[in-house]
C-alpha cells in the first residue's frame, strides 16, 4: 500500500499586499525614470504666435530658460550648443542660468555658439543666488520665499558675458527697440519679481525714452520676465506687449499625467504652468509662453511627466 503525500495548499496572496507591492514597484520605476532618464530627455517645443503686422515675418525666436547649469552637466551643454544650428532670428534668455557657484565657465561653453545672433535677456533668482538644499514639499504649499542671503553668484560677470561677448540686450527693468529680419520689435522686460527685483517705474521710464524716437514702421511689442507673477504680466500688458515670454515654473517639474503641474511656484494659475496660453488684463489680451525650462536644482534632480525643453517661437502676422 502506497501513501500519497498530501499536496500543500497553495499560498493565498492577500489583495492588499499584492496592491502594496504594485504601488512600491510603480514608485521605484517612476523614481528611476524621473531621476535618471526623463531629466536628460531635452526636447525642442514649437510654438506659433500670430502677433506681427500684416506682411511681416515669419520671425523665429529661440527661448532658453532655467538652464540651472552645473559644470559637470556636459550633455546639457552639448544639446544647448546644438540649437545654434537652428539659426534663429532672435535668442530670448529668460533667466535662471546658473545651477552652481562655478557655472560661468560652463555657461560660456554652452552659449558661445550664439554670439552674433541678436538676443535679449532678463535675470532670474539663480543668476544672483546659488542653489541651496530645501524641503521640496514646501513648494506644494506656497511659492518659495525671497532669499535673505547675500547674493553669491557673479551676476556682473554673467551680465557682461551676455552683453559684451554675445551681443545681447539687457532688458532687466528696461526697454529697447530693435529690427530683426523685417520686423521692428519693441522689447520690454522686468527683473525677477520672485525676489522683488522688478521695478516697473524704471522700465516705464526707459520705454518712454524708446518711444520718444518715432519708429520707421509698425511695431510689435514683446514682454519678458523670468517669473510670471500676475502683477508682472499685467505690467507688461499695460506697456503694450502682445507676446509675453517667461520661465521659472519648470512646468511644475513633477507632474501627474492627466492632472498636470502640482505647483507653479508663483501665483500663476496651475493650468498655465507651461506652454502657450493667453493672458488678459484691462480688456487687453496677449499670448503667453511659459517655458518648462531645461534644468532643475542640483538638490532636486528629477523631472516627471515634464520633459526639459527649449522653445522655438515663430511670430507670424495676426489673423484679423
Amino acid at each position: 500500500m502506497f501513501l500519497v503525500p498530501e499536496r500543500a495548499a497553495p499560498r493565498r496572496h492577500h489583495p492588499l499586499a499584492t496592491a502594496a507591492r504594485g504601488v512600491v514597484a510603480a514608485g521605484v520605476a517612476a523614481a528611476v525614470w524621473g531621476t535618471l532618464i526623463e531629466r536628460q530627455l531635452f526636447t525642442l517645443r514649437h510654438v506659433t504666435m500670430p502677433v506681427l503686422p500684416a506682411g511681416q515675418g515669419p520671425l523665429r525666436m529661440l527661448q532658453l530658460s532655467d538652464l540651472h547649469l552645473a559644470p559637470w552637466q556636459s550633455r546639457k551643454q552639448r544639446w544647448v550648443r546644438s540649437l545654434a544650428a537652428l539659426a534663429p532670428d532672435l535668442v530670448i534668455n529668460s533667466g535662471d542660468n546658473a545651477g552652481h557657484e562655478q557655472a560661468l565657465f560652463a555657461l560660456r561653453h554652452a552659449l558661445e555658439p550664439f554670439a552674433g545672433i541678436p538676443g535679449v535677456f532678463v535675470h532670474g533668482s539663480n543668476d544672483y543666488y546659488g542653489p541651496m538644499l530645501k524641503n521640496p514639499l514646501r513648494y506644494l504649499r506656497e511659492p518659495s520665499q525671497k532669499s535673505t542671503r547675500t547674493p553669491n553668484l557673479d551676476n556682473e560677470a554673467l551680465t557682461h558675458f551676455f552683453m559684451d561677448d554675445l551681443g545681447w540686450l539687457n532688458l532687466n527693468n528696461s526697454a529697447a527697440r530693435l529690427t530683426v529680419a523685417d520686423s521692428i520689435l519693441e522689447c520690454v522686460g522686468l527683473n525677477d519679481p520672485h525676489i522683488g527685483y522688478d521695478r516697473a517705474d524704471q522700465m516705464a521710464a526707459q520705454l518712454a525714452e524708446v518711444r520718444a524716437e518715432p519708429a520707421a514702421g509698425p511695431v510689435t511689442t514683446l514682454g519678458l520676465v523670468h517669473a510670471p507673477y500676475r502683477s508682472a504680466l499685467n505690467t507688461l500688458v499695460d506697456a503694450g506687449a502682445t507676446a509675453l515670454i517667461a520661465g521659472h515654473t519648470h512646468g511644475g517639474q513633477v507632474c501627474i499625467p492627466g492632472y498636470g503641474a502640482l505647483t507653479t511656484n508663483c501665483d500663476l494659475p496651475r493650468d498655465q504652468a507651461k506652454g502657450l496660453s493667453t493672458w488678459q488684463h484691462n480688456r487687453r489680451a496677449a499670448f503667453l509662453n511659459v517655458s518648462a525650462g531645461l534644468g532643475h536644482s542640483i538638490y532636486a534632480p528629477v523631472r516627471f511627466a515634464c520633459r526639459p525643453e527649449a522653445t522655438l517661437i515663430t511670430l507670424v502676422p495676426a489673423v484679423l
Side-chain angles (χ1 to χ4, degrees):
M1 181 176 182
F2 296 95
L3 297 178
V4 179
E6 295 183 2
R7 293 183 178 179
R11 291 185 62 184
R12 294 184 178 181
H13 297 282
H14 195 284
L16 290 179
T18 301
R21 283 193 291 270
V23 169
V24 170
V28 171
V32 170
W33 174 263
T35 58
L36 299 181
I37 300 174
E38 184 170 348
R39 70 185 181 92
Q40 303 282 1
L41 297 180
F42 307 115
T43 187
L44 180 67
R45 183 165 54 84
H46 294 261
V47 163
T48 299
M49 291 185 178
V51 296
L52 293 179
Q56 293 187 4
L59 192 156
R60 299 162 70 247
M61 309 188 306
L62 177 65
Q63 182 188 3
L64 301 173
S65 193
D66 297 86
L67 274 72
H68 293 283
L69 193 60
W72 58 84
Q73 293 173 339
S74 57
R75 182 173 181 176
K76 188 190 300 184
Q77 294 174 51
R78 290 194 301 271
W79 192 83
V80 171
R81 287 176 63 90
S82 74
L83 295 176
L86 296 170
D89 300 305
L90 182 71
V91 178
I92 298 178
N93 185 300
S94 45
D96 268 13
N97 292 276
H100 189 273
E101 291 184 23
Q102 304 300 321
L104 186 57
F105 180 82
L107 284 167
R108 288 180 178 274
H109 179 69
L111 297 175
E112 65 181 0
F114 298 96
I117 300 176
V120 294
F121 69 93
V122 291
H123 290 315
S125 61
N126 286 124
D127 296 315
Y128 299 95
Y129 300 93
M132 61 182 297
L133 185 62
K134 300 177 182 178
N135 179 1
L137 296 179
R138 292 180 57 188
Y139 290 113
L140 301 181
R141 297 196 301 267
E142 60 184 6
S144 54
Q145 301 299 309
K146 179 179 178 180
S147 178
T148 57
R149 297 181 293 156
T150 300
N152 60 342
L153 297 180
D154 194 344
N155 178 265
E156 183 176 356
L158 177 67
T159 300
H160 280 305
F161 167 57
F162 284 170
M163 297 179 66
D164 300 337
D165 294 6
L166 300 183
W168 293 353
L169 296 176
N170 186 348
L171 291 183
N172 287 289
N173 300 323
S174 190
R177 183 186 292 157
L178 64 159
T179 299
V180 180
D182 63 347
S183 297
I184 302 174
L185 301 180
E186 196 173 70
C187 300
V188 291
L190 292 169
N191 206 334
D192 193 4
H194 190 66
I195 50 176
Y197 281 16
D198 54 318
R199 298 290 183 270
D201 56 339
Q202 294 180 17
M203 185 198 76
Q206 185 63 38
L207 181 58
E209 291 186 17
V210 169
R211 288 178 173 170
E213 183 71 24
V219 171
T220 301
T221 304
L222 306 181
L224 181 59
V225 67
H226 174 67
Y229 280 83
R230 296 170 188 255
S231 60
L233 298 178
N234 292 344
T235 295
L236 296 173
V237 170
D238 285 340
T242 54
L244 305 171
I245 314 294
H248 174 71
T249 67
H250 296 189
Q253 191 166 325
V254 175
C255 299
I256 298 177
Y259 179 79
L262 300 177
T263 180
T264 63
N265 198 22
C266 63
D267 62 359
L268 185 73
R270 189 179 52 78
D271 61 356
Q272 292 179 284
K274 63 180 176 181
L276 184 66
S277 63
T278 58
W279 188 259
Q280 297 187 9
H281 172 64
N282 281 346
R283 298 184 179 180
R284 295 179 177 177
F287 288 98
L288 168 64
N289 186 71
V290 178
S291 172
L294 282 164
H296 48 70
S297 168
I298 58 175
Y299 298 112
V302 61
R303 285 266 188 167
F304 189 79
C306 187
R307 288 177 63 170
E309 67 178 26
T311 312
L312 188 64
I313 305 170
T314 302
L315 304 186
V316 298
V319 178
L320 301 178

